[in-house]
Amino acid sequence: MKPSIPKGTRDFSPAEMAKRNYIFGTIREVFGLFGYNPIETPAMENLSTLMGKYGEEGDKLLFKILNSGDFLRGVDRNLIEEENCTRLAPQLCEKGLRYDLTVPFARYVVQHRNELQLPFKRYQIQPVWRADRPQKGRYREFYQCDADVVGSDSLINEIELLQLIDEVFRRLKIRIILKLNNRKVLAGIAELIGAPEKIIDITVAIDKIDKIGIDNVNAELLERGLSQEAVDALQPILKISGTLAERLAQLETLLAPSEIGSLGVKELREVTEGVEALGLTAELDLDVSLARGLNYYTGTIIEVKAKDVEIGSITGGGRYDNLTGVFGMPGLSGVGISFGADRIYDVLNALDLYPAEARTATQVMFVNFGTAEAAASMKMMKELRANGIAVELYPDAAKMKKQMTYANATGVPFVAMVGESEMAEGKMALKNMTTGEQVTVTPAEAAAIVS
Amino acid sequence: MKPSIPKGTRDFSPAEMAKRNYIFGTIREVFGLFGYNPIETPAMENLSTLMGKYGEEGDKLLFKILNSGDFLRGVDRNLIEEENCTRLAPQLCEKGLRYDLTVPFARYVVQHRNELQLPFKRYQIQPVWRADRPQKGRYREFYQCDADVVGSDSLINEIELLQLIDEVFRRLKIRIILKLNNRKVLAGIAELIGAPEKIIDITVAIDKIDKIGIDNVNAELLERGLSQEAVDALQPILKISGTLAERLAQLETLLAPSEIGSLGVKELREVTEGVEALGLTAELDLDVSLARGLNYYTGTIIEVKAKDVEIGSITGGGRYDNLTGVFGMPGLSGVGISFGADRIYDVLNALDLYPAEARTATQVMFVNFGTAEAAASMKMMKELRANGIAVELYPDAAKMKKQMTYANATGVPFVAMVGESEMAEGKMALKNMTTGEQVTVTPAEAAAIVS
């Protein structure tokens, strides 16, 4: 019986790894250029750290690790009798796999508060695990790439993070729309129309305006319990139009009666003007229906969509006022973003945007003609490696056809042959596998050709 | 109550990450130069893949993941009554965390056998988890860095891997002894002295010769059930001496009566002569007591010790004849090595061998003097980043003292100040934090100074 892996998990082959490392490498490098430094946290956290942070549904989706040894000791036998798995799990398990990078980061900040210099800028690129039902594009193990800064209220952080996002996608050659909103604008709208408690219903409905049209949105709002007056009051906001600056101006006028709404517009203006002064490759957009993580974000909300591929959000983020409060350290504001590596991978595949470096690894394969030739080849390989060229020798003196099949299958761009005559000259026959061209050269010359 | 992490696990701060990335980056680059390509496998494997591969003790040390949902369904209630946790665990859990990278690699090869081109050279740098009792230098989560080639019997693979090890430690500037042995030599010795079933006892005892002396080793061998004749027959082997070549020659003569022993000596000679012809930085040594993973290795055995730090093996490996047999794919020979990243980290710390790049990340911090100055700073930062310089702006216009405290604490090598006069000139005051020297320069000039 062929072995397999748990559903929702994946193996990554060398070809897939090259593509993934291209994405992670690009993100990592840009994180660094913007002064974000890496941390790593353990895959396992105490369940007490994780439980209750992702809602009741989230608690169920946590992978829990069975205690070692005599895990039945002290377990309430009544719960077993009742088959109460929900209450039994925390008795059988002290630890769980991390579900995202945000809660471990909050835990890290509080645990190491005395060693940290605030503001603290960190990035973290690590896998997370969720016991979700696996489906196309949704995995039980996947990577998150997060950058956050905590301990600073300044909107300069937002301006820097938007530039950072812009630079990552500029390098990846993915055309994007950078959508902005502000939680305070949403609060202002809800306040303005006299339905502050309906803020979620309002944003969910507004979000569908492009798909179902304004009339259907209004019908849905009434269905969700908004009064006709509230729906009427909302209409001017749904109808703002024009350039980003024009829409901001209209929003400013409409939200003037609301203090929190006005503050939101002011923040949006400061952030958009700040990034526009510096110049962006991406298209910047205002989207008052944008409400990701509404219960969590308190200021700026950020979402990125690919222009040329229909795939949903490929990056998102926002400002939160109280990251660490749940661990007993209140009042620490922060703002962060998270790149969706798996979706970015799909976008790059769909648009075939990988550079040549992300397609191959080994640059030269030496053919093995026997003991003496192999020894001579290895001497030349040492020189190529000293020049940073990745090379390998086919380990067995197999038939030429077999060795060339290997070279073709692994996609190596050059093949080197050191036979008797080349050995005598201290040279190799170097064949370009794309053009078929072949030259007889010294190792130094080969290094120059390959690199 | 301050949050914490499970015992035996670790957080890694930016300073620690910089050091770790220096080690992993060096190993990864050299793996690539030798034609090894990366793969990754999931953290979770089916328990059926992991169980029975590491012995009875290993099964207990596997972290097992509680099944989701109604995990009590179908569980044998008698086992609960009996508190038989050992037999109960596999009923409650289908999955476990990987314990090493070797078994997942074997599973990968068999699962993807139809997509793979043999010989298959892969490397893998990922964490593994073991429910060991935590102690100094032993963790429940730690990284392994493995390179293996399967599908080739050629000793060229050994010669390449020894060069690879040599190159990694040459780059890390750690002086090492590269110890070699061959399982066939050990089998030959056991055969020669008429005690083939005592091969483990013999190697365990021989291993202590430096510590306890030859007389005590002999006494221990008798205690372990060897006959006086066997111990006598062993003496000439314990007494081989001289250079590597001399010892190989003596071993060859002594093991001449044993076919397998002679084959082992021949392999050792071919490998040592092969690497010596290419030149090594490391000291190469023959160690007939070397027996790591005896039940596993079938040919070459490799172990690396640091010369200047007492810490045990920092890298090891060897050849195995049947990696994938347990998954129903027999006859696939391979050879592999594994770098011990945590011990290498300790060695580099002990010898203080980290280069400057591994100590800092952000290169320039811009002081924040207020809105206009910050805007001007961000323009200059964009130019520096385009030149590959990692920069950040202190996000708040805080007191100078606070901003400089941050700069000192994060260890940034340069601080840039853009005040009114610098703004007017399009320049910055750039201060070298080590020398205290300060110059007024354009962004282009600053980029040249910093890089």
Side-chain angles (χ1 to χ4, degrees):
Chain A
M1 214 190 66
K2 222 174 160 181
S4 63
I5 49 178
K7 60 180 179 188
T9 69
R10 291 165 291 174
D11 284 326
F12 295 109
S13 69
E16 290 163 327
M17 284 299 293
K19 291 177 170 186
R20 290 172 66 83
N21 285 339
Y22 166 67
I23 297 170
F24 291 131
T26 302
I27 293 171
R28 193 174 285 123
E29 193 177 336
V30 176
F31 279 162
L33 285 177
F34 281 81
Y36 286 85
N37 293 321
I39 69 163
E40 279 187 10
T41 62
M44 301 186 271
E45 294 275 353
N46 291 322
L47 268 186
S48 57
T49 298
L50 302 174
M51 298 280 281
K53 308 303 188 297
Y54 308 104
E56 209 172 300
E57 191 56 25
D59 282 351
K60 283 188 190 150
L61 299 185
L62 290 171
F63 280 113
K64 299 167 190 79
I65 294 163
L66 189 66
N67 292 339
S68 300
D70 183 11
F71 53 79
L72 281 178
R73 192 186 306 161
V75 167
D76 182 348
R77 293 302 194 278
N78 292 327
L79 294 176
I80 297 178
E81 205 111 313
E82 298 161 18
E83 306 207 357
N84 190 334
C85 288
T86 306
R87 286 186 54 205
L88 205 49
Q91 296 203 2
L92 294 169
C93 304
E94 277 175 1
K95 296 178 284 289
L97 294 180
R98 76 177 154 247
Y99 183 86
D100 70 1
L101 301 179
T102 306
V103 168
F105 175 53
R107 191 269 309 148
Y108 179 96
V109 170
V110 177
Q111 185 175 336
H112 302 279
R113 59 204 294 173
N114 296 326
E115 309 142 40
L116 291 185
Q117 189 63 39
L118 293 179
F120 181 57
K121 296 171 78 172
R122 84 84 172 83
Y123 76 80
Q124 197 168 349
I125 301 182
Q126 290 193 280
V128 302
W129 295 269
R130 297 182 183 178
D132 253 322
R133 190 182 302 277
Q135 48 179 265
K136 193 177 154 16
R138 189 195 287 168
Y139 303 102
R140 293 186 147 188
E141 174 181 66
F142 58 97
Y143 271 77
Q144 291 192 335
C145 311
D146 285 18
D148 289 84
V149 48
V150 291
S152 166
D153 292 325
S154 168
L155 294 176
I156 282 178
N157 299 300
E158 273 88 338
I159 295 171
E160 288 270 277
L161 284 171
L162 290 170
Q163 285 188 84
L164 189 163
I165 292 171
D166 187 54
E167 179 64 12
V168 165
F169 290 107
R170 191 187 68 76
R171 289 181 180 218
L172 294 175
K173 300 189 170 53
I174 297 176
R175 302 197 314 146
I176 57 161
I177 302 177
L178 234 175
K179 294 184 173 190
L180 288 186
N181 197 10
N182 192 302
R183 165 64 194 254
K184 296 181 181 118
V185 166
L186 293 172
I189 293 173
E191 189 182 296
L192 195 72
I193 68 176
E197 77 292 353
K198 293 283 186 191
I199 183 165
I200 290 173
D201 295 288
I202 296 166
T203 51
V204 166
I206 296 180
D207 192 33
K208 298 180 185 165
I209 208 162
D210 287 340
K211 276 194 202 138
I212 64 175
I214 202 163
D215 291 344
N216 288 317
V217 165
N218 289 338
E220 183 171 329
L221 285 169
L222 292 169
E223 239 170 69
R224 283 171 180 266
L226 255 75
S227 68
Q228 187 61 51
E229 295 69 40
V231 173
D232 290 345
L234 187 64
Q235 297 313 299
I237 288 163
L238 297 184
K239 287 172 182 159
I240 63 169
S241 65
T243 64
L244 177 57
E246 286 163 1
R247 281 179 291 153
L248 263 180
Q250 292 163 40
L251 204 56
E252 187 169 28
T253 310
L254 289 167
L255 289 181
S258 160
E259 192 180 333
I260 190 161
S262 298
L263 183 57
V265 174
K266 185 167 168 285
E267 289 186 6
L268 271 174
R269 189 186 290 284
E270 198 172 324
V271 170
T272 54
E273 287 177 359
V275 283
E276 283 179 339
L278 294 162
L280 276 189
T281 302
E283 181 185 330
L284 198 63
D285 195 23
L286 170 69
D287 182 351
V288 292
S289 71
L290 188 59
R292 351 170 8 109
L294 192 65
N295 299 314
Y296 185 69
Y297 293 131
T298 52
T300 304
I301 303 173
I302 301 167
E303 188 173 86
V304 176
K305 293 219 171 189
K307 275 189 165 178
D308 303 310
V309 179
E310 194 74 49
I311 200 167
S313 159
I314 54 176
T315 289
R319 178 171 286 278
Y320 38 82
D321 270 351
N322 197 7
L323 177 73
T324 52
V326 69
F327 295 118
M329 188 180 174
L332 207 57
S333 179
V335 53
I337 55 168
S338 184
F339 287 92
D342 286 299
R343 283 189 177 168
I344 293 172
Y345 181 82
D346 291 343
V347 170
L348 287 174
N349 276 335
L351 302 175
D352 195 24
L353 285 178
Y354 290 102
E357 317 82 87
R359 292 171 196 274
T360 56
T362 307
Q363 292 155 286
V364 187
M365 187 203 87
F366 279 70
V367 176
N368 188 331
F369 291 109
T371 310
E373 291 88 348
S377 295
M378 284 196 279
K379 283 215 173 90
M380 298 189 192
M381 289 161 64
K382 191 164 182 182
E383 198 171 336
L384 286 172
R385 284 174 182 145
N387 283 289
I389 315 273
V391 298
E392 63 179 301
L393 170 63
Y394 194 89
D396 304 279
K399 285 200 177 123
M400 188 69 178
K401 196 183 162 203
K402 193 173 178 191
Q403 298 193 43
M404 293 309 284
T405 301
Y406 176 87
N408 283 315
T410 54
V412 60
F414 292 91
V415 164
M417 286 157 287
V418 181
E420 249 180 73
S421 62
E422 288 88 2
M423 267 173 74
E425 287 185 274
K427 293 188 172 178
M428 71 188 79
L430 184 71
K431 181 174 178 171
N432 183 320
M433 296 293 280
T434 315
T435 65
E437 205 186 339
Q438 187 172 317
V439 288
T440 301
V441 292
T442 64
E445 290 163 346
I449 292 171
V450 173
S451 60
Chain B
M1 212 191 68
K2 219 174 162 181
S4 63
I5 49 178
K7 61 180 179 187
T9 69
R10 292 165 290 174
D11 284 327
F12 295 108
S13 70
E16 290 163 325
M17 284 298 294
K19 290 178 172 186
R20 290 172 67 83
N21 285 339
Y22 167 67
I23 297 170
F24 291 132
T26 302
I27 294 172
R28 195 176 282 121
E29 193 177 336
V30 176
F31 279 164
L33 286 177
F34 281 81
Y36 286 84
N37 294 320
I39 70 164
E40 280 186 11
T41 62
M44 299 185 272
E45 294 276 352
N46 291 321
L47 267 187
S48 58
T49 298
L50 302 174
M51 297 280 280
K53 308 303 188 298
Y54 308 103
E56 209 173 299
E57 192 55 27
D59 282 351
K60 283 189 191 148
L61 299 184
L62 290 170
F63 280 112
K64 299 169 190 77
I65 294 164
L66 189 66
N67 291 339
S68 299
D70 183 12
F71 54 79
L72 280 177
R73 192 186 305 161
V75 167
D76 184 347
R77 292 303 194 276
N78 292 326
L79 293 177
I80 297 178
E81 204 110 315
E82 297 162 16
E83 306 208 357
N84 188 335
C85 288
T86 307
R87 287 186 54 203
L88 206 49
Q91 296 202 4
L92 293 169
C93 305
E94 278 176 2
K95 296 179 284 291
L97 295 180
R98 75 176 155 248
Y99 182 86
D100 69 2
L101 302 179
T102 306
V103 167
F105 175 53
R107 191 268 309 148
Y108 179 97
V109 169
V110 177
Q111 186 175 337
H112 301 279
R113 58 203 296 174
N114 297 325
E115 309 143 40
L116 291 185
Q117 189 64 37
L118 294 180
F120 181 56
K121 296 171 78 172
R122 85 85 175 80
Y123 75 79
Q124 197 168 349
I125 300 180
Q126 291 193 280
V128 302
W129 295 270
R130 299 183 182 178
D132 253 321
R133 189 182 301 275
Q135 49 180 265
K136 192 176 156 15
R138 189 196 286 168
Y139 304 102
R140 291 185 150 190
E141 174 181 66
F142 58 97
Y143 271 77
Q144 291 192 334
C145 311
D146 286 18
D148 289 84
V149 48
V150 290
S152 166
D153 292 325
S154 167
L155 294 176
I156 282 177
N157 298 300
E158 272 89 338
I159 294 171
E160 289 270 276
L161 283 170
L162 290 170
Q163 284 188 86
L164 190 163
I165 292 171
D166 188 53
E167 180 64 12
V168 165
F169 289 107
R170 190 187 69 77
R171 289 181 179 217
L172 294 175
K173 299 189 172 53
I174 296 176
R175 302 198 314 147
I176 57 161
I177 303 178
L178 234 174
K179 293 184 173 190
L180 288 186
N181 197 9
N182 192 299
R183 165 67 194 254
K184 296 183 181 116
V185 165
L186 294 172
I189 293 172
E191 191 184 295
L192 194 73
I193 67 175
E197 77 292 351
K198 293 286 185 188
I199 181 165
I200 291 173
D201 295 287
I202 295 167
T203 51
V204 167
I206 295 180
D207 192 31
K208 298 182 187 164
I209 208 161
D210 286 341
K211 276 193 204 139
I212 63 175
I214 200 162
D215 291 343
N216 288 316
V217 166
N218 288 338
E220 183 171 330
L221 285 169
L222 291 171
E223 239 170 70
R224 284 171 180 265
L226 256 75
S227 68
Q228 186 61 51
E229 293 71 38
V231 173
D232 290 344
L234 188 64
Q235 297 313 300
I237 289 163
L238 297 185
K239 286 174 183 159
I240 63 170
S241 65
T243 65
L244 177 57
E246 287 164 359
R247 279 180 293 152
L248 263 180
Q250 292 162 39
L251 203 57
E252 187 170 28
T253 310
L254 289 167
L255 289 180
S258 160
E259 193 180 333
I260 191 161
S262 297
L263 183 57
V265 174
K266 186 166 168 287
E267 289 186 7
L268 271 175
R269 187 185 290 283
E270 198 172 324
V271 169
T272 53
E273 287 177 0
V275 284
E276 283 181 337
L278 294 161
L280 278 188
T281 303
E283 180 184 331
L284 197 63
D285 195 22
L286 169 70
D287 183 351
V288 293
S289 71
L290 188 59
R292 0 171 357 114
L294 193 65
N295 299 313
Y296 184 67
Y297 292 132
T298 52
T300 303
I301 303 171
I302 302 167
E303 189 172 85
V304 176
K305 294 222 169 185
K307 275 188 166 181
D308 303 310
V309 180
E310 194 74 48
I311 199 168
S313 160
I314 55 177
T315 290
R319 176 171 286 279
Y320 38 80
D321 269 350
N322 197 8
L323 178 71
T324 53
V326 70
F327 295 118
M329 188 179 174
L332 209 57
S333 178
V335 52
I337 55 168
S338 184
F339 288 91
D342 287 298
R343 283 191 177 166
I344 293 172
Y345 181 82
D346 291 342
V347 170
L348 287 174
N349 276 336
L351 301 175
D352 196 23
L353 285 177
Y354 289 101
E357 316 86 88
R359 292 169 197 275
T360 57
T362 307
Q363 292 155 285
V364 187
M365 187 204 87
F366 279 71
V367 176
N368 189 331
F369 290 109
T371 308
E373 291 86 348
S377 295
M378 283 196 278
K379 284 216 174 90
M380 297 188 193
M381 288 160 63
K382 191 165 181 181
E383 198 170 333
L384 286 173
R385 284 174 183 146
N387 284 290
I389 315 273
V391 300
E392 63 179 300
L393 169 64
Y394 194 88
D396 304 280
K399 287 200 177 119
M400 188 70 178
K401 195 183 162 204
K402 193 173 178 191
Q403 298 193 41
M404 293 310 283
T405 300
Y406 175 86
N408 282 316
T410 55
V412 60
F414 292 90
V415 163
M417 284 157 286
V418 182
E420 252 179 71
S421 62
E422 288 87 2
M423 266 173 77
E425 291 185 85
K427 292 189 174 179
M428 70 188 81
L430 184 71
K431 181 175 178 171
N432 183 320
M433 295 293 280
T434 315
T435 65
E437 204 186 340
Q438 187 172 318
V439 288
T440 301
V441 291
T442 64
E445 289 163 347
I449 291 172
V450 173
S451 59

